[in-house]
Every structure is written in C-alpha cells, then in structure tokens.
Amino acid sequence: MTKKTVLIIDDDPRNIFALKATLKAKSFDCIACGSAQEAIDLLITDAVVDVILIDMMMPEMDGYEAIPRIKNLENREQTPIYAVTAQAMVGDREKCLRAGATDYIAKPIDVDRLLQLLSGSERLL
C-alpha cells in the first residue's frame, strides 16, 4: 500500500492539529487548508491529494458549496471527499451525500471509523 495524502479543510486549527496528529501516526501524509477557497486554489494545481476531509460548517464557503466546486475541477472528479461535521442530526448524512460527498463522519471523530473510510477509499482510487 502506498502512502496516501489527505487534504484536511477546516477553519479550526485545533481540528486540523488533531486530525493531522492522528493521521500522521497512521502513516498518512497530510496537507491542511483553513478555508474552502484556499483548498480549491491548491486543488487546481497538480498537488498530490488522494482523499479530502472537509468540515461542512465554515465561514465564507461551507462544505455544501465547496464539494460541488471541487468535484467540478478537471483533475479532481474522482477524488474521495469525506464530509466532517458536528451536525449529526437526522438527514445530515443524506444532505452531505447530495452535495457530492463520498461519505460522512460526525464529530467528535471516531478514529476507527475514519480509518475504515480512508482504507475503503483505496478501492475508489
């Protein structure tokens, strides 16, 4: 298995820190962006990104707006995108999937579930 690069998009540096620490301990490479626009600016380049974790509730551009924009980028149509949100209400998962997310994970993040999602994304790559 090759080492995967995960792009973390979150406006909260504490969430980025925690996710990076967890994923690096599991041998993932991580890139972080503090806004959806910053992530889109990165994703239009040739940067290696195998999978994306995106916070759904961010100022300026939230995940619901960002996911379709990312999916419309020429080189990113097939990149798995996992919605990460504190919104764990009935219907939120479906709302994330309708926006184009590959799947959904609620905060606080269940690390085993996250790793299961990320290992499942290998079949998508």
Side-chain angles (χ1 to χ4, degrees):
M1 179 173 106
T2 59
K3 196 175 209 182
K4 278 200 270 188
T5 300
V6 178
L7 172 59
I8 302 165
I9 309 168
D10 199 312
D11 62 313
D12 188 333
R14 296 168 298 185
N15 291 337
I16 290 173
F17 177 82
L19 279 169
K20 280 177 99 171
T22 299
L23 293 173
K24 284 185 176 194
K26 299 295 182 181
S27 298
F28 288 91
D29 284 330
C30 297
I31 303 169
C33 291
S35 72
Q37 187 59 58
E38 180 185 350
I40 290 169
D41 292 344
L42 171 79
L43 290 166
I44 60 175
T45 71
D46 291 332
V48 174
V49 173
D50 299 307
V51 63
I52 298 168
L53 299 176
I54 185 168
D55 180 28
M56 297 307 284
M57 298 297 171
M58 293 184 288
E60 296 164 31
M61 185 189 316
D62 65 18
Y64 299 104
E65 182 180 350
I67 290 172
R69 288 185 183 199
I70 293 168
K71 288 289 188 179
N72 283 327
L73 295 175
E74 186 177 312
N75 57 340
R76 305 298 176 175
E77 306 96 342
Q78 301 303 314
T79 304
I81 302 175
Y82 294 101
V84 180
T85 183
Q87 301 292 318
M89 307 294 280
V90 173
D92 286 330
R93 180 176 187 275
E94 292 73 20
K95 186 176 175 185
C96 292
L97 296 177
R98 275 194 309 272
T102 306
D103 210 331
Y104 159 98
I105 189 161
K107 293 177 186 177
I109 293 177
D110 175 338
V111 174
D112 291 333
R113 169 87 173 117
L114 176 61
L115 295 174
Q116 181 183 44
L117 288 175
L118 294 178
S119 67
S121 70
E122 288 173 5
R123 291 186 296 274
L124 302 171
L125 299 176

